[in-house]
């Protein structure tokens, strides 16, 4: 007697093959740094809401780079060490100002990528991939990236690059670099929380880019330049800028008359437009970071008044329609756009701010890759022309 074999009925439609483009659903390696799943986001064992409430960005950076949370003395020393390494050479600041003045349309992410590349030439350990040198390089990069961002923004604004104030946290110093002013306590706290939320997210596109570069035994600065290139795109980090631009567009169109928010959204759905700040490759029931950042941003907007709060009201309306009609949730970049906007930060600097945080995650992954390296080199499924002869 033959065993029964389940067969597909002759007339049943063939199952739709899974769309594996973009490596969707595939695990590409192990990591001890971070876990991203539907129910939790965890950095080295600590849940993101716990970190956003109780840890400073510098403490999170220490945790990610070194592996364990710092005690009070270690946290203080780490913060002081970073604050003492912020300066960049005047030549680099002048080179970035030259780029910006010669090409005012150049995106600040491109300026930042150039800045990191320039830093590599004066880093005495650029070519040293030992764990000790990589940690030192990671700290230097982390400390100096806000200054690179400041050199770009100061040139755009036509003002002097502010001097370092070592008493400022990474978040407050970054705000000083972006606006030329020392931020108030609430703005500093919100920037700090956003940096905690942005610091790490396992094998996202830019981190995977860094790991691919590191896997060839290339150096940390090269990997970070690659990470910046990958993060710049609007499907990834660039979405925080595009989300705010989209809200401004909706606001303008509605104010001009002839459309409502709901009609605007329907037209966007009909034209298959991608709505920036929505959707995620991993999170299908919502991004754990989005609600945390929205709450802080709303708090700041409420303090400023109705002109600022209107962006959160509009955001809520857009979010409600998206969820209702498409069942797609906002990702962290959606509240980020509104939050940085009401904090007075120039829109093209939103993604560079992401870099000022994610450089920590990228560096931790480069170190992890180098500690147990094998070159990343997948196979390709050839779908091109059949074999043919050059001479016919
Ligand atoms: C970040 O990966 C990370 O971890 C990244 C990140 C990090 O911390 O490193 O979390 C940071 O990059 C956040 C994502 C920022 N990007 C955006 O906000 C851009 C808009 N979003 C999308 O284009 C999209 O959702 C992606 C790029 C984020 C994810 O792409 P996927 O995984 O390929 O999309 P999917 O397969 O889940 O989409 C399923 C369907 C598709 O429709 P169908 O073709 O099946 O009809 O949902 C649609 C998509 O077109 N869809 C959207 C949409 N997102 C998904 N439709 C309109 N607007 C959107 N934003």
């Amino acid at each position: 007697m033959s065993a029964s074999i389940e067969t597909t009925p002759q007339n049943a439609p063939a199952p739709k093959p899974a769309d594996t483009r973009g490596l969707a659903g595939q695990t590409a390696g192990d990591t001890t740094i971070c876990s991203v799943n539907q129910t939790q986001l965890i950095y080295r064992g600590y849940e993101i809401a716990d970190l956003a409430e109780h840890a400073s960005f510098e403490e999170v950076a220490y945790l990610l780079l070194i592996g364990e949370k710092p005690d009070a003395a270690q946290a203080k020393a780490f913060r002081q060490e970073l604050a003492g390494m912020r300066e960049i050479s005047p030549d680099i600041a002048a080179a970035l100002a030259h780029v910006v003045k010669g090409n005012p349309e150049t995106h600040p992410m491109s300026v930042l990528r150039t800045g990191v590349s320039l830093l590599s030439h004066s880093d005495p350990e650029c070519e040293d991939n030992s764990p000790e040198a990589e940690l030192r390089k990671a700290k230097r990069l982390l400390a100096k990236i806000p200054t690179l961002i400041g050199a770009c923004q100061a040139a755009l604004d036509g003002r002097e690059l502010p001097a370092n104030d070592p008493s400022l946290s990474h978040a407050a110093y970054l705000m000083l670099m972006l606006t030329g002013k020392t931020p108030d306590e609430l703005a500093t706290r919100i920037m700090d929380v956003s940096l905690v939320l942005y610091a790490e997210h396992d094998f996202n596109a830019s981190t995977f880019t860094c790991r691919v570069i590191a896997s060839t035994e290339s150096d940390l600065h090269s990997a970070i330049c690659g990470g910046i290139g990958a993060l710049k795109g609007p499907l990834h980090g660039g979405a925080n800028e595009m989300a705010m631009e989209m809200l401004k567009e909706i606001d303008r169109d509605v104010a001009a008359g002839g459309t409502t928010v709901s009609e605007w959204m329907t037209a966007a759905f009909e034209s298959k437009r991608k709505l920036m700040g929505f959707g995620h490759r991993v999170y299908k029931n919502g991004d754990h970071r989005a609600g945390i950042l929205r709450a802080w941003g709303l708090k700041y907007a409420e303090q400023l008044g109705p002109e600022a709060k209107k962006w959160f009201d509009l955001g809520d309306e857009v979010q409600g329609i998206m969820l209702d009609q498409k069942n797609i949730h906002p990702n962290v970049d959606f509240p980020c756009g509104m939050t940085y906007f009401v904090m007075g930060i120039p829109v093209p600097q939103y993604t560079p701010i992401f870099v000022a945080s994610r450089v920590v995650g990228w560096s931790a992954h480069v170190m992890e890759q180098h500690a147990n390296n094998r070159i990343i080199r997948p196979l390709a499924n050839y779908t091109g022309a059949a074999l043919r002869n050059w001479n016919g």
Side-chain angles (χ1 to χ4, degrees):
M1 220 171 112
S2 64
S4 87
I5 298 171
E6 272 191 42
T7 54
T8 309
Q10 296 278 317
N11 55 357
K16 203 176 159 198
D19 182 359
T20 54
R21 287 173 308 143
L23 300 176
Q26 297 177 46
T27 302
D30 295 341
T31 183
T32 62
I33 302 167
C34 176
S35 167
V36 178
N37 59 58
Q38 299 303 332
T39 51
Q40 282 166 323
L41 164 57
I42 292 169
Y43 296 173
R44 297 208 189 270
Y46 298 96
E47 213 269 319
I48 196 66
D50 188 12
L51 293 170
E53 195 172 341
H54 300 117
S56 69
F57 172 69
E58 283 90 335
E59 288 170 317
V60 168
Y62 185 105
L63 170 73
L64 289 167
L65 290 172
I66 290 158
E68 289 299 333
K69 73 179 258 198
D71 61 26
Q74 287 166 329
K76 189 172 171 209
F78 185 70
R79 184 176 151 157
Q80 283 174 348
E81 188 185 4
L82 290 181
M85 297 191 298
R86 288 174 178 153
E87 265 181 40
I88 58 173
S89 92
D91 289 351
I92 293 181
L96 297 187
H98 181 75
V99 167
V100 167
K101 283 177 188 149
N103 313 278
E105 298 306 313
T106 299
H107 195 281
M109 280 293 273
S110 301
V111 180
L112 183 54
R113 189 195 59 227
T114 299
V116 170
S117 196
L118 288 172
L119 283 180
S120 73
H121 303 302
S122 53
D123 193 303
E125 298 180 294
C126 180
E127 306 301 336
D128 186 345
N129 290 349
S130 66
E132 299 77 17
E134 284 202 319
L135 179 58
R136 287 191 293 270
K137 286 190 287 184
K139 288 194 262 185
R140 285 195 285 271
L141 270 173
L142 173 60
K144 291 180 196 305
I145 280 175
T147 318
L148 296 176
I149 293 171
C152 171
Q153 192 57 42
L156 283 167
D157 293 345
R159 57 176 166 81
E160 289 295 306
L161 178 63
N164 182 21
D165 175 352
S167 72
L168 296 181
S169 66
H170 191 74
Y173 178 68
L174 180 58
M175 287 290 288
L176 172 68
M177 291 292 106
L178 287 162
T179 63
K181 296 184 203 104
T182 305
D184 62 41
E185 210 175 300
L186 183 58
T188 303
R189 174 78 177 111
I190 295 172
M191 177 54 72
D192 192 79
V193 170
S194 76
L195 297 176
V196 168
L197 300 176
Y198 268 143
E200 165 53 12
H201 220 232
D202 79 26
F203 283 6
N204 61 84
S206 55
T207 301
F208 196 62
T209 301
C210 290
R211 289 194 75 127
V212 170
I213 294 172
S215 84
T216 69
E217 294 187 359
S218 187
D219 63 282
L220 181 70
H221 286 79
S222 297
I224 302 302
C225 286
I228 293 173
L231 192 72
K232 183 184 175 200
L235 294 189
H236 192 14
N240 58 9
E241 297 172 25
M242 300 307 288
M244 192 58 221
E245 293 299 355
M246 183 185 79
L247 284 183
K248 287 202 274 180
E249 187 186 333
I250 299 173
D251 183 59
R252 249 191 333 263
D253 291 352
V254 171
T259 190
T260 61
V261 176
S262 168
E263 286 162 359
W264 192 99
M265 297 282 288
T266 304
F269 296 147
E270 280 167 2
S271 66
K272 302 242 177 272
R273 177 172 171 168
K274 279 202 166 76
L275 297 187
M276 291 295 144
F278 286 92
H280 199 273
R281 172 58 63 79
V282 181
Y283 298 133
K284 298 304 174 196
N285 307 314
D287 180 330
H288 311 302
R289 303 163 294 182
I292 300 173
L293 194 50
R294 180 191 168 277
W296 278 106
L298 179 62
K299 190 172 174 168
Y300 199 79
E302 279 171 342
Q303 183 186 280
L304 290 175
E307 267 307 296
K309 187 170 174 290
K310 83 167 192 185
W311 296 109
F312 285 81
D313 295 338
L314 177 58
D316 285 351
E317 195 175 350
V318 169
Q319 186 174 320
I321 296 169
M322 195 68 174
L323 199 55
D324 189 47
Q325 307 218 359
K326 293 281 168 188
N327 196 26
I328 298 178
H329 293 258
N331 57 59
V332 65
D333 288 326
F334 191 63
C336 173
M338 295 177 264
T339 302
Y340 289 167
F341 190 72
V342 299
M343 286 166 72
I345 299 168
V347 176
Q349 292 289 7
Y350 295 1
T351 320
I353 297 173
F354 198 153
V355 175
S357 166
R358 184 57 61 87
V359 65
V360 169
W362 291 338
S363 301
H365 279 272
V366 167
M367 291 189 271
E368 188 176 63
Q369 183 67 37
H370 279 159
N372 182 23
N373 192 46
R374 191 171 188 197
I375 192 166
I376 297 173
R377 199 298 182 200
L379 300 177
N381 180 35
Y382 178 68
T383 58
L387 195 60
R388 44 193 167 163
N389 289 322
W390 189 255
N391 290 330

